Amino acid sequence: MAQVIMIASGKGGTGKSTVASFLALELALKGHKTFLTELDLGLRSIDVISGVSDKVVYDISDVMDGTCTVDKAVINSPHSDNLFIMPAPSKKDDVNYNNLKKILNNIYDEYEYIIIDTPAGLGTPFSRAIECADMAIIVATADAVSVRDARIVSDEIYNKSLKNIRLIINKFDKNTFKYSGFKDMDQVVDICCAQLLGVIPYNSDIQVAAMDGKSLDKDCLSKKIFSSIVDRLHGVHTPINIK
């Protein structure tokens, strides 16, 4: 049975969808059959980041309303035979989010991991994802607004009875962090009230790969960090180095 992980953020611009896409790909590259979908209806991005935008025929809204089956909407990643992607629609229409759990129930036994990229902030898609998830990963940047909003999201997830909450600090820059108002990374983690899963430094490698729909170079620092994050998800102790 699959482990369902929702990816959330308090505000836009944290790189949440990029993290979701590369995390799903890293899981797949390590041999885990992984399903990646997106609930940011009308503002989809994982199809571009994952390199499948030219292959989209159906999307999650078509599955939600019964127009097609999951199999027809799923696209195999060009970077791994273990990664399967179901994008959000390009236009925002009325979607019955209540069908999300039913859809995931039908594929639980087919995958090891189901990654749900939720829209930034709160709302109906966010709440439906919590009902399906075994774990929530909050993506934040190390600035006052993002950290405050991450705490709001963390509290909302916890209050809705999902207790397994992790934190990824993205786009970290130690040169700007000293102006953030935080004493250190421990203070950020304490405010967000979530277990730290990884710190991803700001790196153009990620932005370039996401824009081109390519995988990360196997020797780049960002690839190694995503690999360590996946190891931690599997209980392997690896130190979190803040570059």
Side-chain angles (χ1 to χ4, degrees):
M1 182 176 289
Q3 181 175 18
V4 182
I5 303 175
M6 64 177 289
I7 313 294
S9 68
K11 64 186 287 290
T14 65
K16 171 183 55 61
S17 295
T18 301
V19 169
S21 298
F22 285 121
L23 176 61
L25 177 56
E26 189 62 30
L27 283 163
L29 291 172
K30 285 181 176 284
H32 304 286
K33 189 176 181 182
T34 303
F35 178 90
L36 171 65
T37 193
E38 179 178 21
L39 301 185
D40 205 347
L41 308 185
L43 296 169
R44 74 183 184 201
S45 58
I46 64 168
D47 61 319
V48 173
I49 300 168
S50 301
V52 299
S53 59
D54 59 340
K55 299 178 181 179
V56 177
V57 177
Y58 298 106
D59 54 56
I60 191 171
S61 68
D62 296 311
V63 180
M64 292 276 200
D65 66 16
T67 299
C68 73
T69 62
V70 171
D71 289 343
K72 286 187 176 181
V74 164
I75 305 166
N76 198 183
S77 166
H79 308 305
S80 172
D81 291 338
N82 284 323
L83 179 57
F84 299 82
I85 301 153
M86 185 166 67
S90 58
K91 295 182 179 180
K92 190 171 184 178
D93 298 311
D94 290 335
V95 176
N96 186 359
Y97 295 103
N98 293 325
N99 287 335
L100 178 63
K101 192 169 183 64
K102 179 181 178 181
I103 291 169
L104 298 187
N105 281 340
N106 290 333
I107 63 171
Y108 274 146
D109 294 333
E110 297 180 35
Y111 297 93
E112 293 180 64
Y113 285 92
I114 295 173
I115 308 297
I116 308 172
D117 181 28
T118 67
L122 312 178
T124 300
F126 171 83
S127 296
R128 295 292 85 80
I130 293 173
E131 295 170 358
C132 302
D134 304 303
M135 175 189 295
I137 297 176
I138 299 172
V139 179
T141 52
D143 64 86
V145 174
S146 181
V147 170
R148 178 189 63 191
D149 291 351
R151 176 55 183 266
I152 293 170
V153 168
S154 179
D155 287 346
E156 185 72 12
I157 292 170
Y158 189 87
N159 290 335
K160 288 183 179 293
S161 300
L162 179 56
K163 311 302 184 186
N164 191 2
I165 307 171
R166 308 293 181 88
L167 173 68
I168 290 178
I169 300 297
N170 193 30
K171 302 181 183 180
F172 182 77
D173 184 335
K174 64 181 180 181
N175 293 318
T176 58
F177 182 69
K178 60 188 177 184
Y179 302 109
S180 67
F182 299 112
K183 180 177 63 175
D184 52 29
M185 191 59 71
D186 287 341
Q187 185 181 11
V188 172
V189 174
D190 288 344
I191 293 172
C192 292
C193 203
Q195 182 181 347
L196 185 62
L197 186 61
V199 177
I200 304 171
Y202 180 84
N203 193 316
S204 61
D205 288 345
I206 294 179
Q207 279 67 43
V208 170
M211 287 188 293
D212 290 343
K214 296 180 179 178
S215 59
L216 293 166
D217 185 87
K218 65 179 182 178
D219 296 320
C220 76
L221 175 62
S222 300
K223 174 70 165 61
K224 295 175 182 176
I225 289 174
F226 275 104
S227 179
S228 294
I229 288 172
V230 168
D231 287 344
R232 290 185 202 106
L233 282 175
H234 290 105
V236 178
H237 175 71
T238 56
I240 298 177
N241 297 314
I242 300 175
K243 301 289 185 179

